[in-house]
Amino acid sequence: MSMLLQEVVGELSKLPGIGRRTALRLAMHLLRMECDSVDDMTTAIARFRHDIKHCTCCNNLSDTELCPICTDAERDRSTICVVEQVADLLSIENTHQYRGLYHVLGGVISPMQGIAPSDLKIDLLCDRIEQGGVKEVILAISTSVEGETTLFYLMSRLRRFEGLRITSIARGIGFGDELEYVDELTITHAMLNRREIE
Amino acid sequence: MSMLLQEVVGELSKLPGIGRRTALRLAMHLLRMECDSVDDMTTAIARFRHDIKHCTCCNNLSDTELCPICTDAERDRSTICVVEQVADLLSIENTHQYRGLYHVLGGVISPMQGIAPSDLKIDLLCDRIEQGGVKEVILAISTSVEGETTLFYLMSRLRRFEGLRITSIARGIGFGDELEYVDELTITHAMLNRREIE
């Protein structure tokens, strides 16, 4: 095989979910693309890796010291939604319903993967709350074992802030989910947290 | 969303089979990679796109004028295996069973996609055979409608070479295929072309 082809296939197959066969298909696609388009792509990748920053306030990805959400004067600064990762923040932003601020932990506590509370941006969150003005912290953490551990730990850290409302996003049956296929734990939660129909 | 992130997601999602969600996941993975590793990747992509050549003899991808297969003195120069694309050549090479040369057409005749015989490297193939020394041409073309059209057209071009053996790779039940799930056409072919057990 051509060395150049071998190299590009080797590099692309280092990416998650991309095996050698997919890498080869991608390489063949690159050949069909204009040189300029390929250059645009490699430049975007290199610039992203070298120049991206983490917002010093909320740990969101940002081009600048502070991210556009933290600097947005229109947003409600009294509410902070805590998420595991940037992708979760983007999912919530896509709903266009939430107008508060965020805090990106950068993962969940996982002894198995050697992620301790100190590896997450929990101190930074406490500092933010200490500065005052925060009335509610919404915990939007996944319901995995690691997520629950993180939730528990966060609660122990946040409880000391007097008057701070700590909430968790609602658990229940998703829209479009078939009850038949929903797991028992979710159904149990959904039954216990049932609401009056108004 | 950060402009740098938006750009890299936009560029990555131009690749086939990569939507915005996968592109975002890849971008997050890039952040976890060392800067040097990302640079190696972008360099490999750029070098591949800019410097790769097509072998002037067989149309295989090559770093040089002639590909390593065409210049390999150990290979049987009297046999040419005709394939649609480089990926097919690589699949056959991976078996380590075939020791002849190749000819990469660069696609199949497809009026629907506007690919005419003149868009494929068929003249180049005829030139190679005209130069003499070729005893057999193996057609390893897929069995799609376009493949069959291409096979038919190739036959019409190759028949004029006297004494040239023209063969096609065997069609039949693949190893590991369950007869129950094999299509009727393949079974019909496999029955008609049955062999004595030796």
Side-chain angles (χ1 to χ4, degrees), chain A residues 2-5 7 11 16 27-31 33 39 41-42 45 47-50 52 61 63, chain B residues 2-5 7 11 16 27-31 33 39 41-42 45 47-50 52 61 63:
Chain A
S2 142
M3 281 303 297
L4 290 167
L5 177 59
E7 260 171 42
E11 290 294 338
M28 293 305 157
H29 182 85
L30 289 171
L31 283 189
M33 284 169 69
D39 291 345
M41 179 182 301
T42 54
I45 293 172
R47 282 188 56 202
F48 172 70
R49 182 64 189 86
H50 287 274
I52 198 87
L61 287 180
D63 304 336
Chain B
S2 143
M3 281 303 297
L4 289 167
L5 177 60
E7 260 171 41
E11 290 293 339
M28 293 306 157
H29 183 84
L30 289 172
L31 283 189
M33 284 169 68
D39 292 345
M41 180 182 300
T42 54
I45 293 172
R47 282 188 55 202
F48 172 70
R49 182 63 189 86
H50 287 273
I52 198 87
L61 287 181
D63 304 337

Side-chain angles (χ1 to χ4, degrees), chain A residues 98-147:
Chain A
Y98 177 67
R99 299 301 300 159
L101 302 183
Y102 290 94
H103 194 82
V104 180
L105 292 179
V108 277
I109 299 168
S110 168
M112 293 285 283
Q113 289 178 52
I115 303 171
S118 57
D119 296 320
L120 307 177
K121 300 288 177 186
I122 297 175
D123 289 342
L124 191 63
L125 174 64
C126 292
D127 291 348
R128 284 178 74 180
I129 300 169
E130 225 143 56
Q131 280 162 28
V134 180
K135 288 182 194 149
E136 179 177 355
V137 171
I138 305 169
L139 303 176
I141 313 286
S142 63
T143 46
S144 59
V145 174
E146 289 89 353

Side-chain angles (χ1 to χ4, degrees), chain A:
Chain A
M1 202 201 281
S2 142
M3 281 303 297
L4 290 167
L5 177 59
Q6 216 160 334
E7 260 171 42
V8 80
V9 167
E11 290 294 338
L12 290 174
S13 54
K14 284 180 191 162
L15 294 171
I18 296 185
R20 288 189 68 81
R21 214 171 268 265
T22 309
L24 187 64
R25 197 162 51 83
L26 291 178
M28 293 305 157
H29 182 85
L30 289 171
L31 283 189
R32 285 191 294 272
M33 284 169 69
E34 296 289 332
C35 271
D36 285 351
S37 305
V38 174
D39 291 345
D40 287 348
M41 179 182 301
T42 54
T43 308
I45 293 172
R47 282 188 56 202
F48 172 70
R49 182 64 189 86
H50 287 274
D51 300 343
I52 198 87
K53 293 177 180 64
H54 286 274
C55 173
T56 51
C57 178
C58 76
N59 195 36
N60 183 14
L61 287 180
S62 177
D63 304 336
T64 45
E65 194 89 341
L66 286 169
C67 79
I69 296 176
C70 284
T71 50
D72 187 346
E74 300 276 292
R75 304 202 61 134
D76 169 18
R77 314 194 75 78
S78 70
T79 313
I80 296 178
C81 177
V82 179
V83 292
E84 285 173 44
Q85 50 182 356
V86 175
D88 301 337
L89 180 157
L90 294 174
S91 290
I92 297 176
E93 278 301 280
N94 281 341
T95 66
H96 301 288
Q97 295 300 316
Y98 177 67
R99 299 301 300 159
L101 302 183
Y102 290 94
H103 194 82
V104 180
L105 292 179
V108 277
I109 299 168
S110 168
M112 293 285 283
Q113 289 178 52
I115 303 171
S118 57
D119 296 320
L120 307 177
K121 300 288 177 186
I122 297 175
D123 289 342
L124 191 63
L125 174 64
C126 292
D127 291 348
R128 284 178 74 180
I129 300 169
E130 225 143 56
Q131 280 162 28
V134 180
K135 288 182 194 149
E136 179 177 355
V137 171
I138 305 169
L139 303 176
I141 313 286
S142 63
T143 46
S144 59
V145 174
E146 289 89 353
E148 295 288 346
T149 308
T150 310
L151 207 76
F152 195 77
Y153 180 82
L154 279 171
M155 286 304 295
S156 78
R157 292 285 301 267
L158 298 178
R159 245 192 297 260
R160 69 185 174 91
F161 294 105
E162 264 174 54
L164 179 70
R165 191 177 168 213
I166 307 170
T167 56
S168 166
I169 48 169
R171 310 294 178 187
I173 316 293
F175 285 94
D177 280 1
E178 305 252 14
L179 212 57
E180 186 180 352
Y181 302 112
V182 174
D183 65 290
E184 288 87 350
L185 197 63
T186 303
I187 295 183
T188 308
H189 267 258
M191 290 294 280
L192 287 173
N193 298 308
R194 65 192 179 280
R195 290 175 47 185
E196 300 286 342
I197 300 167
E198 282 145 27

